Amino acid sequence: MRKKLVMIGNGMAGVSFVEQLLKLNPQRYEIAIIGAEPHPNYNRIMLSSVLAGEAGIKDIILNDWDWYLDNGIALHAGQQAVSVDAEARIVTTDQGLALPYDELVFATGSLPFMPPLPGADKEGVIAFRDIKDCETMMETARTYRKAIVIGGGLLGIEAARGLINLGMEVSVVHIHSYLMERQLDATASRLLQAELEAQGMRFLLQKQSAAITGGDRVTGLAFQDGTHEETDLIVMAAGIRPNVGLAKDSGLGVNRGIIVDDFMACGIPGISAVGECVEHRGVVYGLVAPLYEQGAVLAKRLAGVETEGYHGSVLSTKLKVSGVNVFSAGSFVDEPGTKSLRVQDDLDGIYKKVVFANGKVIGAVLFGDTSDSSRLFSAIRSGKDFTGNEKEVLFGPSGGSGGGAGGKTVSTADLVAAMSGDEIVCGCNGVTKDTLVEAIAEKGCVSVGELKACTKASGGCGGCKPLVEAILATTLGADQVAVVKEGICGCTPLSRDEVVGAIRQMHLTTTKEVMHVLEWNNPEGCSKCRPALNYYLGMAFPEEHEDELESRFVNERNHANIQKDGTFSVVPRIYGGVTTPEDLKKIATVAEKYQVPLVKITGGQRIDLLGVKKEDLPGMWKDLDMPSGYAYGKALRTVKTCVGNTFCRFGTQDAIKMGVDLEKKFERLNTPHKVKLAVSGCPRNCAEATIKDLGVVAIDGGWEIYVAGNGGTRVRAADLLTKVKTEEEVLAWTGAYLQYYRETANYMERTSEWSIRIGLDTIKAALEKQEDRDALNARIDRTLDLMQDPWKQIIENDDLRNAFDALTAPVDTEAAAASASVSVPDGPAKP
Amino acid sequence: MNEMIIGHISEFPERAGRVVRLGDVELALFKLSDGSVRAVENRCPHKNGKLSEGIVCDHHVYCPLHDWKIDLHDGLVQAPDEGCVETFAARVDGSGNVVLQVPEGAGVRKVS
């Protein structure tokens, strides 16, 4: 007879406890969970990502309905537990359900703290705590413009960032003089504020709210200093309070939270508590990692496994706001007896502070560069004495001046060794060091990728990846990790250079040959190596290699960009961004004919026809009768131009002609990744040529050529490659540069990453001599001579064209289905 | 089980998908490098990506939207992702016709 376990609460901490209990002793309990929200267990931390549009609600479900079913757990969702009879051991819900228990677990979490302001009950005043709040915000953003977030802490800033993404004007009201005062010191906080202001956030600091104004719906917020702000939405993010009402009524000991001992017991037989509703040694935790640690202890106790108990956690915080890297952990405020090490770099917007007490690291704050976070966090938790070597904690063994011969080196390996086994490495998925070590030892994981597949560690925010790598290295031994070096993908241990070297030496001309000769693990490769090999083969042997359509990514196979709903977008070539009334009319007519839902000018000055059905693509191309704009390929995309001296009063050279010539010469060129060019007619640089893969800027009497810039996810200003006098020289340098990139870059490596990896000096040296440039140009010209326009090819080839059509069932399907016989239609539908 | 011919094997490019519409249901049909055919629902369980546009490696297809890997034998999503797509029996008959088997009562009856 199984014992009955009832849990009140269906949140992250509680369900994580149940998961661990099931792993330890799946047969012991018959489990029932009461959850107030109508959803299965989801990742509350990710709500800010949902609001930011980076994830859907489905993406943040941690355990779906099937999980409860598969594990025999009765989930009473959408119900609230209303009373507990600790004598009779029965829980009752608001819908009249009475659940008897042998063990009861309170996992009631916390409630948002709603400051008791007059008017707080108006429509448009919400918290940011659950899926429903998230949905309300998204709905509000559709019809309203202004939002105020009350609270400048972690939650408030994440809510504000989400509302900005939804297109709202957002002001954050904060009672203190600086933001996130519980996680940051004043210096880091000011840096954060500046960064967020640059993202469009407005701050009203040291402001005390007095009343919410409006009729049924909120229209504004009045402050105690007599000022007033208009708004359409108020989000309260002023903190959370442990949800202890029911526990109090049930006779449990409650301070700020439900009081528990080191084993999560509440003092009444058969009742335990875990998570945000709990107060342990006077501390209430609101972050996920400690809650998982508590859950692990409770699971062990209830499973009958020995445990040392829970001894409290060191807290760390990361802000999940795009473009901002913030980390803090432990006690980072200077106090008597503490010493701190600070690095402040205003040029790069980086600030680091490590606080020591008696030689031990007790806290840290990082802003701008958080790459040291896991190392520092381990140092805090290890409690190791760094006396005499404090600087190594931040600068590594070689850095700083305090290091030196004979000093202990503080390596990540030491810190990993000092970690206890049940310490959580991955806070997103609650993976402990023991789980990782076990996966390495028993399941044979030898890479971070395999560990992720096996344990989900580093599968959330990815912040713990360096630590996972370190655990891998210390567990396996550094030599073992070296043996399993990762190649271009999981199909081979060979690097890009080894693969390309073999292709050239052995004269391999098909992907099949490469995989066979180089002993690929998977007979037909994967979605990473196949496109890469196809590119390398075409680069090495342009005449002999036959392009393999089936190894190309969908966009390059269909010569149009796939969109999230499965439709495509079509971009005709418009050289240098210069078009004519005739072409515009033609494009407009085609857009109307095929009912294109969205016509947009792209970032590269071209016209994008979005929302096209796949089967309409060939027809559209035919009607357009223009070359493909290659907006979809790892190829030359666009050459953006300004108007140059054709019309502009500042223009020194003909930027339009230069741009058109470049685009005509290099169009259809396959490259390791997409390549964007621009030409500006004067140093005012209206074409933004200095954030392009190659940018040309006209100066009086010549041209400057900039390379390896990027305007994408990692913005990078281009480096000056050279200055030349004539247009011919611009074309020759561009050709040589592009071919050198084609020959030496990894597939999917942008020029900006490539140039950092191999070094600008290497590139300059390779292009320095006229004869080398000529040889590179000869090779690129040979490749360019072979290129054909893909749209035209497909229109002219019936086999290629037919592949765009869907096959449809015979019209008489119903009859065919009813007769259950083989029906023979006339053939597939033809266009 | 109902069978229907949906085309000739010569109309299917190797290691690539084609869309087959049966009333409201959209399938992706793949010809593998061994000449056999596989049919699955044309919808990745992650974000409904059209699997017919994915890269095919032996008996797997990679969703073109976010690179989920799906086994075309049983429709199972490969780790670390999880999920399953519906599979349909398909074969090539003696004359090279591609024959699809559709279970009784499937969406096929809903002819548009």
Side-chain angles (χ1 to χ4, degrees):
Chain A
M1 181 77 180
R2 291 190 192 190
K3 287 185 169 184
K4 289 185 181 359
L5 175 87
V6 175
M7 183 164 78
I8 307 172
N10 187 33
M12 297 177 70
V15 175
S16 159
F17 145 70
V18 171
E19 281 184 321
Q20 304 196 53
L21 178 64
L22 288 172
K23 271 184 208 155
L24 294 169
N25 200 337
Q27 303 303 326
R28 188 160 188 170
Y29 296 99
E30 189 184 315
I31 302 171
I33 300 179
I34 303 166
E37 285 187 71
H39 308 281
N41 175 239
Y42 63 87
N43 188 340
R44 207 180 291 280
I45 303 171
M46 298 280 284
L47 279 179
S48 54
S49 305
V50 173
L51 203 56
E54 290 155 9
I57 283 167
K58 274 189 192 160
D59 299 324
I60 67 168
I61 298 289
L62 289 169
N63 302 80
D64 59 14
W65 298 106
D66 286 344
W67 177 83
Y68 294 89
L69 222 79
D70 293 347
N71 288 290
I73 298 167
L75 172 60
H76 305 287
Q79 301 201 33
Q80 202 122 28
V82 287
S83 71
V84 173
D85 183 338
E87 284 291 313
R89 295 203 177 192
I90 289 175
V91 187
T92 320
T93 74
D94 58 348
Q95 291 174 29
L97 205 64
L99 299 168
Y101 67 82
D102 296 299
E103 291 287 346
L104 177 67
V105 176
F106 275 82
T108 46
S110 58
L111 298 170
F113 169 57
M114 304 295 270
L117 294 175
D121 54 347
K122 289 187 198 303
E123 196 189 325
V125 181
I126 58 168
F128 179 38
R129 179 67 188 159
D130 55 28
I131 286 181
K132 197 167 151 278
D133 297 328
C134 231
E135 286 170 343
T136 308
M137 287 190 220
M138 294 194 267
E139 239 158 67
T140 309
R142 271 181 223 129
T143 35
Y144 294 98
R145 235 160 43 96
K146 287 190 163 183
I148 287 179
V149 175
I150 299 182
L154 194 70
L155 196 65
I157 289 168
E158 290 184 2
R161 177 63 236 188
L163 289 166
I164 285 180
N165 278 21
L166 292 171
M168 296 192 86
E169 287 170 24
V170 184
S171 304
V172 176
V173 173
H174 197 42
I175 200 162
H176 292 272
S177 59
Y178 63 87
L179 302 169
M180 284 179 70
E181 75 286 346
R182 285 173 61 190
Q183 292 89 15
L184 299 178
D185 67 355
T187 311
S189 179
R190 300 284 177 224
L191 287 164
L192 173 68
Q193 186 181 340
E195 173 63 40
L196 293 173
E197 278 168 349
Q199 294 188 11
M201 229 176 268
R202 201 173 145 235
F203 293 98
L204 301 166
L205 298 176
Q206 284 176 295
K207 281 276 196 187
Q208 187 122 27
S209 309
I212 293 168
T213 57
D216 285 347
R217 188 177 175 89
V218 54
T219 55
L221 179 63
F223 300 102
Q224 286 191 351
D225 59 10
T227 55
H228 181 265
E229 281 284 322
E230 281 182 19
T231 188
D232 305 313
L233 174 76
I234 291 183
V235 178
M236 302 271 201
I240 51 171
R241 292 281 157 92
N243 180 10
V244 295
L246 180 64
K248 239 183 212 166
D249 296 345
S250 311
L252 295 180
V254 172
N255 261 339
R256 279 207 299 145
I258 304 169
I259 299 166
V260 294
D261 63 15
D262 284 1
F263 299 90
M264 315 317 290
C266 299
I268 294 181
I271 301 185
S272 315
V274 68
E276 283 180 327
C277 59
V278 153
E279 179 177 323
H280 172 262
R281 297 190 188 178
V283 184
V284 173
Y285 295 95
L287 294 166
V288 71
L291 310 183
Y292 283 150
E293 286 172 19
Q294 294 176 354
V297 168
L298 179 59
K300 279 183 186 161
R301 177 166 65 83
L302 292 188
V305 175
E306 201 170 310
T307 165
E308 283 181 20
Y310 176 68
H311 305 302
S313 303
V314 180
L315 294 184
S316 76
T317 301
K318 250 184 193 170
L319 186 64
K320 292 177 293 302
V321 165
S322 56
V324 186
N325 293 314
V326 181
F327 168 85
S328 77
S331 319
F332 48 81
V333 179
D334 299 295
E335 281 176 26
T338 65
K339 284 180 189 167
S340 56
L341 183 61
R342 286 190 187 79
V343 174
Q344 186 168 354
D345 172 359
D346 292 336
L347 300 177
D348 289 331
I350 290 170
Y351 173 71
K352 301 181 182 187
K353 174 182 179 186
V354 183
V355 182
F356 296 89
N358 303 319
K360 292 176 184 170
V361 183
I362 59 161
V365 178
L366 302 173
F367 183 90
D369 172 8
T370 51
S371 55
D372 294 323
S373 59
S374 49
R375 224 159 41 79
L376 288 170
F377 194 39
S378 296
I380 296 169
R381 291 193 289 192
S382 71
K384 202 174 152 169
D385 192 341
F386 292 104
T387 305
N389 297 296
E390 285 94 340
K391 291 189 182 176
E392 293 183 1
V393 173
L394 201 53
F395 301 115
S398 55
S401 54
K408 290 170 283 178
T409 54
V410 185
S411 69
T412 316
D414 291 342
L415 295 169
V416 166
M419 280 177 80
S420 73
D422 57 358
E423 213 169 286
I424 300 230
V425 176
C426 171
C428 293
N429 292 310
V431 185
T432 61
K433 182 187 166 192
D434 273 348
T435 310
L436 289 169
V437 171
E438 191 187 294
I440 295 164
E442 286 166 27
K443 296 182 187 157
C445 293
V446 288
S447 67
V448 175
E450 287 177 13
L451 279 174
K452 182 171 150 191
C454 212
T455 65
K456 288 195 181 173
S458 82
C461 73
C464 62
K465 204 175 157 204
L467 202 53
V468 175
E469 274 168 359
I471 290 173
L472 186 69
T474 44
T475 310
L476 274 182
D479 343 340
Q480 290 302 310
V481 178
V483 170
V484 297
K485 69 170 179 149
E486 280 182 62
I488 57 171
C489 69
C491 302
T492 176
L494 298 176
S495 69
R496 181 260 181 214
D497 288 347
E498 287 167 324
V499 172
V500 174
I503 289 174
R504 287 190 189 281
Q505 265 169 29
M506 293 188 248
H507 205 101
L508 308 174
T509 57
T510 67
T511 52
K512 200 173 165 186
E513 262 182 343
V514 176
M515 292 177 182
H516 185 68
V517 172
L518 301 180
E519 297 179 337
W520 240 239
N521 299 334
N522 296 316
E524 290 183 11
C526 71
S527 59
K528 288 198 177 54
C529 59
R530 282 254 302 276
L533 290 182
N534 189 46
Y535 168 77
Y536 295 140
L537 290 163
M539 177 269 290
F541 302 112
E543 284 103 347
E544 289 158 78
H545 170 67
E546 199 174 322
D547 191 48
E548 296 170 14
L549 216 51
E550 71 275 15
S551 295
R552 281 193 178 262
F553 183 63
V554 49
N555 288 351
E556 299 188 331
R557 212 172 335 109
N558 292 342
H559 305 284
N561 266 332
I562 196 164
Q563 306 296 331
K564 65 175 186 179
D565 61 354
T567 63
F568 288 84
S569 78
V570 170
V571 180
R573 180 67 75 186
I574 296 176
Y575 299 98
V578 181
T579 183
T580 61
E582 286 76 36
D583 277 351
L584 287 174
K585 275 189 223 161
K586 206 192 297 176
I587 292 170
T589 309
V590 169
E592 271 187 345
K593 176 175 171 187
Y594 291 93
Q595 298 176 327
V596 168
L598 181 69
V599 180
K600 188 185 177 304
I601 307 295
T602 71
Q605 302 178 332
R606 305 299 185 265
I607 296 173
D608 199 353
L609 307 172
L610 289 132
V612 181
K613 292 196 217 67
K614 186 185 176 188
E615 47 262 52
D616 283 343
L617 289 173
M620 278 184 72
W621 297 337
K622 185 157 189 266
D623 291 348
L624 279 169
D625 192 24
M626 294 166 80
S628 164
Y630 273 80
Y632 44 79
K634 310 215 184 321
L636 175 83
R637 294 279 175 101
T638 54
V639 183
K640 188 174 179 177
T641 63
C642 72
V643 83
N645 65 7
T646 316
F647 273 94
C648 176
R649 68 198 161 106
F650 296 114
T652 58
Q653 305 272 1
D654 191 346
I656 296 179
K657 180 174 185 299
M658 185 75 255
V660 172
D661 287 351
L662 281 168
E663 189 160 343
K664 286 205 159 145
K665 167 139 204 222
F666 298 108
E667 75 171 314
R668 305 186 187 117
L669 181 71
N670 287 315
T671 39
H673 209 311
K674 61 184 171 187
V675 168
K676 297 176 177 183
L677 270 55
V679 184
S680 285
C682 82
R684 283 170 190 74
N685 193 13
C686 292
E688 292 151 351
T690 45
I691 51 160
K692 296 291 184 241
D693 294 283
L694 184 139
V696 182
V697 178
I699 48 175
D700 207 4
W703 307 86
E704 290 174 338
I705 299 180
Y706 290 89
V707 295
N710 189 359
T713 42
R714 276 187 215 144
V715 181
R716 179 175 195 272
D719 298 309
L720 181 65
L721 178 68
T722 187
K723 284 186 201 185
V724 296
K725 291 212 170 64
T726 66
E727 278 193 38
E728 290 70 40
E729 286 175 290
V730 172
L731 286 164
W733 275 87
T734 304
Y737 171 76
L738 288 177
Q739 181 65 10
Y740 188 59
Y741 166 57
R742 295 183 74 236
E743 291 178 3
T744 56
N746 296 325
Y747 187 66
M748 294 287 276
E749 186 176 41
R750 290 293 298 267
T751 58
S752 53
E753 303 160 332
W754 165 72
S755 84
I756 292 168
R757 180 171 61 84
I758 71 168
L760 183 67
D761 292 340
T762 313
I763 299 171
K764 280 186 169 167
L767 304 183
E768 196 184 349
K769 291 189 206 133
Q770 172 86 44
E771 63 205 69
D772 290 340
R773 292 200 300 276
D774 288 349
L776 285 161
N777 270 307
R779 295 202 287 276
I780 202 170
D781 287 345
R782 225 167 65 212
T783 305
L784 286 166
D785 283 347
L786 297 164
M787 306 310 287
Q788 284 177 297
D789 187 76
W791 287 1
K792 212 169 175 182
Q793 271 183 304
I794 292 167
I795 297 165
E796 287 168 358
N797 180 324
D798 282 346
D799 280 346
L800 288 176
R801 186 177 173 143
N802 286 344
F804 281 79
D805 291 320
L807 298 162
T808 45
V811 178
D812 195 14
T813 314
E814 201 155 358
S819 68
S821 62
V822 177
S823 72
V824 186
D826 297 337
K830 293 272 186 244
Chain B
M1 198 62 76
N2 305 311
E3 294 201 320
M4 61 189 64
I5 295 173
I6 49 155
H8 192 268
I9 190 69
S10 59
E11 292 167 313
F12 295 83
E14 196 167 288
R15 288 198 283 180
R18 272 200 87 164
V19 176
V20 177
R21 291 213 180 99
L22 297 177
D24 286 354
V25 184
E26 191 172 300
L27 309 186
L29 205 128
F30 299 91
K31 178 172 154 191
L32 307 185
S33 49
D34 63 6
S36 67
V37 290
R38 292 281 178 280
V40 299
E41 190 184 0
N42 194 16
R43 214 157 60 112
C44 179
H46 177 219
K47 296 213 164 164
N48 299 340
K50 291 204 185 267
L51 299 176
S52 54
E53 304 299 338
I55 290 179
V56 180
C57 297
D58 47 81
H59 56 94
H60 295 97
V61 64
Y62 291 82
C63 175
L65 291 194
H66 305 99
D67 211 35
W68 279 32
K69 185 183 182 185
I70 290 146
D71 190 331
L72 293 172
H73 285 335
D74 51 18
L76 280 181
V77 174
Q78 305 294 291
D81 304 309
E82 287 171 15
C84 188
V85 290
E86 200 178 341
T87 56
F88 296 83
R91 63 185 168 88
V92 186
D93 73 9
S95 0
N97 292 317
V98 176
V99 183
L100 192 65
Q101 288 183 353
V102 184
E104 209 83 46
V108 187
R109 282 163 194 275
K110 291 180 254 163
V111 173
S112 50

